[in-house]
Amino acid sequence: MEGWKEFLEERGRLHLLRRLSPSEDRRPGVAVRGGREYVDFSSNDYLGLSCHPALAAAAREALERYGTGTGASRLMSGDLEIHHELEEEVAAFKGTDAALVFNSGYQANTGIVPALFGRHDAVFADQLSHASQLDGALLSRAKLLRFRHNDPEHLSALLEKHRGAFRRALVMTESVFSMDGDRAPLVPLLDACRRHRCLFMVDEAHATGVFGPEGRGCVEAEGLAGEVELVMGTFSKALGGFGAYLAASRTIVDFLVNSARSFIYSTALPAPVIAADLAALRLCQAGETRGAELLRRSASFRGALRANGWTVGGDSQIVPVVVGGSARAVALSGQLADRGYLALPVRPPTVPEGAARLRFSLTAAHGDSQVRGVVEALGAP
Ligand SMILES: Cc1ncc(COP(=O)(O)O)c(C=O)c1O
């Protein structure tokens, strides 16, 4: 079509400038690219479970039994007992009546919000909420209002002003922010929800497996298990697998089975994926994962970077070094790559203009010498 190629090339030059760079091999903490092995500080495989023998064995066994695909969505013939087994264990893990598995975190957030909220409702979202939460709100056609990042007082002021104009309302946040690594003040946010009759939705994608006893997440760590109406999380990060969950009441889960379009109109996750997710959850429950230790090591990594003069954010295993412009972030990332460390730059529009960063995620697979090595390789600003 006339003009489209030029239009897309121009847009690409202005906004994206990003290229896919496949690894020929990977394992926790390691990526092999162009024949070179890098220490990978850009993966969310926080507990190093993606290659754990228990997950691999469970996946292999499910593969033998059920094959590679499920052949249909869950409301058709793709529903397997193992999906229900996982959902029961998630509900017990998160302290709710029920849980529902979604095919990914993106599909969970874009399915849940539009199923529960519509044109006459409002969604109040943290300014730094993940794109999937925002897309869910946009799809719902509810009025979207953004409160200042981690600012319950601003949320309260917005609720004071706008809540009355809407039938129902949702407040949503991440518990550990994916790009900033900081944590949401869940107690005061929940308090604002209660005062203004809002449901509360917390995305625990980056907290699941790492925070709270046995990695149950920040909602549990802050004593709120069973109190937050919608607790969503993923199996794809610390749990080393794939897919996502919503932990909620039985009423909400039953409703979503019949109304969340991303759940209804997508083929069920394959059994080997579900079996690996279950195995990871069981490792957490058996106390065999090391979230607390990872957080201690992340704090000392953050301290070492700050001592060298860097602007470092966060309060989790995600350690952003904010460097300003995109070009500087790209240059620093290149410098680290030359020394064998993969810490990829995160640039606008993923983060605000002027806040480009190197996003380090520390994992249980990184050795102390690798952590010291990357601090030394980054040097001082
Ligand atoms: C906070 C948050 N929510 C949801 C998602 C989406 O999860 P998934 O990768 O399973 O689609 C991500 C991951 O990118 C995330 O960081």
Side-chain angles (χ1 to χ4, degrees):
M1 225 186 333
E2 192 97 347
W4 266 104
K5 186 166 178 286
E6 292 72 20
F7 170 75
L8 292 179
E9 282 173 354
E10 180 59 16
R11 286 286 294 245
R13 257 194 301 281
L14 286 177
H15 295 293
L16 301 174
L17 299 169
R18 290 183 277 195
R19 295 274 180 275
L20 293 171
S21 335
S23 299
E24 7 354 323
D25 203 357
R26 78 160 293 279
R27 56 186 182 275
V30 177
V32 183
R33 293 181 165 188
R36 182 170 181 193
E37 192 167 295
Y38 293 90
V39 183
D40 182 4
F41 282 103
S42 288
S43 158
N44 302 321
D45 189 3
Y46 301 124
L47 298 171
L49 293 185
S50 66
C51 292
H52 193 287
L55 274 70
R60 225 176 283 118
E61 197 184 308
L63 178 69
E64 294 293 321
R65 182 164 168 201
Y66 299 101
T68 49
T70 49
S73 67
R74 292 199 45 202
L75 282 173
M76 304 299 279
S77 64
D79 192 30
L80 301 172
E81 281 180 358
I82 195 169
H83 291 114
H84 293 260
E85 211 179 316
L86 179 59
E87 286 167 348
E88 277 162 29
E89 295 214 12
V90 168
F93 189 63
K94 301 294 287 185
T96 55
D97 290 353
L100 189 63
V101 168
F102 284 83
N103 287 8
S104 71
Y106 189 86
Q107 288 194 44
N109 283 335
T110 52
I112 296 162
V113 182
L116 296 172
F117 297 89
R119 270 185 312 129
H120 304 291
D121 304 325
V123 174
F124 296 82
D126 186 286
Q127 229 159 23
L128 298 188
S129 283
H130 191 258
S132 55
Q133 284 196 320
L134 299 178
D135 288 358
L138 293 174
L139 272 175
S140 75
R141 296 190 292 163
K143 171 85 176 164
L144 175 61
L145 295 122
R146 317 280 296 269
F147 58 93
R148 283 196 289 271
H149 178 53
N150 279 348
D151 188 343
E153 285 183 15
H154 188 227
L155 169 65
S156 295
L158 287 180
L159 288 168
E160 208 67 63
K161 187 164 170 198
H162 300 286
R163 172 68 184 92
F166 299 95
R167 189 180 56 174
R168 291 178 301 122
L170 174 71
V171 170
M172 62 188 187
T173 185
E174 297 174 42
S175 56
V176 171
F177 281 84
S178 57
M179 293 299 144
D180 288 62
D182 53 352
R183 290 161 60 187
L186 296 179
V187 172
L189 291 175
L190 178 63
D191 189 49
C193 290
R194 290 289 174 269
R195 280 187 279 114
H196 294 275
R197 296 174 298 106
C198 302
L199 291 197
F200 192 25
M201 177 167 184
V202 178
D203 179 333
E204 297 245 61
H206 296 274
T208 305
V210 175
F211 280 86
E214 290 97 44
R216 289 167 201 268
C218 292
V219 169
E220 165 90 27
E222 302 208 11
L224 303 177
E227 293 199 39
V228 175
E229 289 86 1
L230 302 162
V231 185
M232 171 271 172
T234 61
F235 300 108
S236 51
K237 298 174 175 32
L239 298 186
F242 192 68
Y245 64 82
L246 175 75
S249 68
R250 171 57 58 197
T251 312
I252 288 177
V253 164
D254 288 347
F255 179 79
L256 291 175
V257 166
N258 291 286
S259 57
R261 294 169 70 83
S262 66
F263 176 86
I264 298 169
Y265 298 108
S266 194
T267 300
L269 279 181
V273 170
I274 299 292
D277 293 346
L278 250 175
L281 208 56
R282 288 175 180 162
L283 286 176
C284 288
Q285 285 169 304
E288 288 185 35
T289 51
R290 293 178 294 146
E293 186 188 325
L294 174 62
L295 292 174
R296 273 194 298 279
R297 295 176 69 224
S298 304
S300 66
F301 177 47
R302 190 175 276 107
L305 291 167
R306 280 195 183 127
N308 283 351
W310 293 102
T311 303
V312 187
D315 182 20
S316 67
Q317 75 284 9
I318 299 166
V319 182
V321 175
V322 180
V323 299
S326 294
R328 184 152 187 248
V330 172
L332 284 168
S333 173
Q335 231 170 276
L336 288 181
D338 290 343
R339 303 275 306 264
Y341 300 101
L342 211 58
L344 297 175
V346 182
R347 290 167 276 170
T350 308
V351 293
E353 211 58 58
R357 66 201 57 193
L358 295 180
R359 175 188 182 272
F360 292 90
S361 35
L362 214 63
T363 76
H366 293 123
D368 286 336
S369 64
Q370 294 173 323
V371 176
R372 276 197 304 276
V374 77
V375 172
E376 189 264 320
L378 192 59

